[in-house]
Amino acid sequence: MRSLSQIYSDYFSSTAVFSYRQDERIFRTRFMRAWFTIFLILVAIIFTGSLFGIGANEYHYFIGNLILINLIAAIGLQLLVGFTGLLSLGHAAFLGVGAYTSALLITNFGCPFVLSILIAGLVASLLGLIVGIPSLRIKGFYLMVATLAFQFVIDYTIIHWESVTRGIRGIELPTPGLVGISLETNKAYFLFLFVLAVFLMWGAKNITRSKIGRALIAIRDNDVSAEIIGISIFRYKLLSFSISAFYGGAAGALFAGLLRTAIPQDYTFLHSILFLAMVLVGGMGRMVGTVFGVIFITLVPVLLDLLVSFIANVYDPNFTVYLGPMKELVFGALIILFIILEPEGLVGIWIRIRDYFRIWPLPYISE
């Protein structure tokens, strides 16, 4: 008769696979599938509880919406930076292109919100092809400078092409809707974003598991060797830029729909830095790391605001004046510390915790 430890090892902690199909699954082990199921149950409990006035409120859903939109944008950047090895400092520009494309389609042509998201992604994807052209000749720091130049060009265009973009005033948008259903509340928008984010992350994960993903990883590891074995370097680099820009454009349209406006201040160089930080802090080359990085970068400023407000209310309101500028210093220091002390990012911490609990409290049985 088999022991409890052996049963636990085989059905929960085991990482063994017995076919190529099993090895290529998104959730390869029962341990991963169990955690994903728990996550979905928790989301359902939080969402259902809020229907009865328990748990999350509109502000919490707004923060959740920010996380999901940032996640969609960061997934695209992860494909470009983490899987292809192409550094970019212009990702926020693609969000700006998507936001203004969606805004113009909705306000000038009465385009449905969902269709405007798709078109915004496609327009940004087309620009991604153009921006990716220099990647054939340059890479590393010089490619990063080229994408930075694109960021400044888009910033200048949005602000000064007032006849189309209305300059710094921006474009106001009506309440978004989905097949006749209003997405006016943050709760409704969260449900829409959650389904869309899961779908887009599933698509990105499938790309990384396909021939395209393997080619991107080969280019990242050694582009000369990849070209020798027959991989079209230029085509796959352009494809990576295009897919990354599509995710950015879609995220920009979603962000404009959330705020009901498209303004240039939301798509600046600083935002490109933040998206890159999400990828670096989370862990490059891992989709789950993108999730961790997005949550960290999005929530830390919110938590710092709450901390400063609490100290000001308890001790002295004037503390806000002194501690306010310190938030950015602490935020930047946390990012630097993670990069120095944890080069693998938050995903490295998660892997160590996951491996510990995979075998806890029973010993690992190897047969």
Side-chain angles (χ1 to χ4, degrees):
M1 185 175 178
R2 305 180 67 194
S3 66
L4 179 61
S5 297
Q6 291 174 317
I7 296 174
Y8 179 87
S9 175
D10 290 342
Y11 287 94
F12 194 70
S13 65
S14 175
T15 59
V17 292
F18 305 99
S19 67
Y20 177 78
R21 185 179 182 86
Q22 289 181 345
D23 189 52
E24 284 296 298
R25 287 187 302 191
I26 294 179
F27 302 105
R28 295 174 65 252
T29 64
R30 289 185 176 91
F31 183 85
M32 298 172 65
R33 292 193 290 273
W35 274 107
F36 183 69
T37 302
I38 293 172
F39 168 72
L40 292 179
I41 293 173
L42 289 176
V43 172
I45 291 174
I46 293 173
F47 188 82
T48 305
S50 64
L51 296 177
F52 301 98
I54 304 173
N57 54 36
E58 280 292 292
Y59 173 72
H60 298 145
Y61 279 113
F62 178 77
I63 300 300
N65 290 334
L66 289 180
I67 291 174
L68 292 174
I69 292 173
N70 288 339
L71 176 61
I72 293 173
I75 289 172
L77 191 60
Q78 180 71 270
L79 289 172
L80 182 67
V81 177
F83 286 90
T84 318
L86 301 175
L87 294 176
S88 173
L89 287 177
H91 197 60
F94 293 117
L95 274 80
V97 169
Y100 276 87
T101 300
S102 174
L104 291 171
L105 287 172
I106 292 173
T107 56
N108 295 341
F109 302 99
C111 181
F113 177 61
V114 176
L115 181 60
S116 74
I117 296 173
L118 177 60
I119 297 176
L122 293 175
V123 172
S125 179
L126 180 61
L127 284 178
L129 288 175
I130 299 174
V131 176
I133 291 176
S135 65
L136 178 64
R137 296 293 182 183
I138 59 178
K139 58 183 178 179
F141 173 77
Y142 299 100
L143 178 61
M144 187 169 59
V145 171
T147 59
L148 178 60
F150 171 72
Q151 173 72 53
F152 290 146
V153 168
I154 295 299
D155 287 348
Y156 182 87
T157 302
I158 291 176
I159 293 175
H160 292 87
W161 197 8
E162 293 191 12
S163 60
V164 175
T165 64
R166 302 177 191 174
I168 60 176
R169 295 173 298 167
I171 302 175
E172 294 185 2
L173 295 172
T175 301
L178 176 64
V179 292
I181 302 174
S182 175
L183 300 177
E184 181 178 5
T185 65
N186 288 318
K187 186 189 305 181
Y189 207 74
F190 174 83
L191 183 60
F192 167 69
L193 283 177
F194 183 80
V195 174
L196 185 60
V198 170
F199 174 76
L200 290 175
M201 191 164 189
W202 171 78
K205 184 65 177 178
N206 280 328
I207 289 175
T208 62
R209 300 185 303 144
S210 67
K211 173 185 174 182
I212 296 174
R214 291 191 289 271
L216 297 181
I217 293 173
I219 293 172
R220 177 197 66 189
D221 292 342
N222 193 316
D223 54 354
V224 176
S225 299
E227 190 170 19
I228 290 174
I229 63 176
I231 295 175
S232 177
I233 303 296
F234 187 48
R235 184 179 70 179
Y236 281 107
K237 283 185 177 180
L238 285 183
L239 183 60
S240 179
F241 264 104
S242 180
I243 296 173
S244 174
F246 177 86
Y247 275 78
L254 292 166
F255 189 66
L258 174 65
L259 299 184
R260 314 290 196 269
T261 183
I263 54 177
Q265 293 89 335
D266 291 329
Y267 313 103
T268 62
F269 170 64
L270 176 60
H271 293 85
S272 290
I273 295 294
L274 290 177
F275 286 124
L276 186 60
M278 292 174 188
V279 174
L280 295 177
V281 171
M284 296 208 313
R286 289 180 178 271
M287 284 298 169
V288 67
T290 309
V291 178
F292 295 146
V294 167
I295 293 174
F296 178 85
I297 298 297
T298 306
L299 289 185
V300 165
V302 176
L303 296 177
L304 289 175
D305 286 337
L306 293 175
L307 178 61
V308 170
S309 299
F310 174 77
I311 294 175
N313 291 331
V314 173
Y315 295 99
D316 185 358
N318 293 326
F319 279 174
T320 305
V321 178
Y322 303 112
L323 297 180
M326 293 293 291
K327 292 184 295 184
E328 295 183 1
L329 176 62
V330 173
F331 183 49
L334 286 174
I335 294 176
I336 294 174
L337 285 175
F338 263 106
I339 294 176
I340 294 176
L341 301 178
E342 194 61 53
E344 294 184 357
L346 291 170
V347 71
I349 300 175
W350 159 249
I351 289 174
R352 291 194 292 271
I353 296 174
R354 180 197 66 186
D355 291 343
Y356 174 80
F357 281 101
R358 176 182 285 142
I359 63 175
W360 180 89
L362 303 172
Y364 187 77
I365 303 298
S366 178
E367 294 182 321

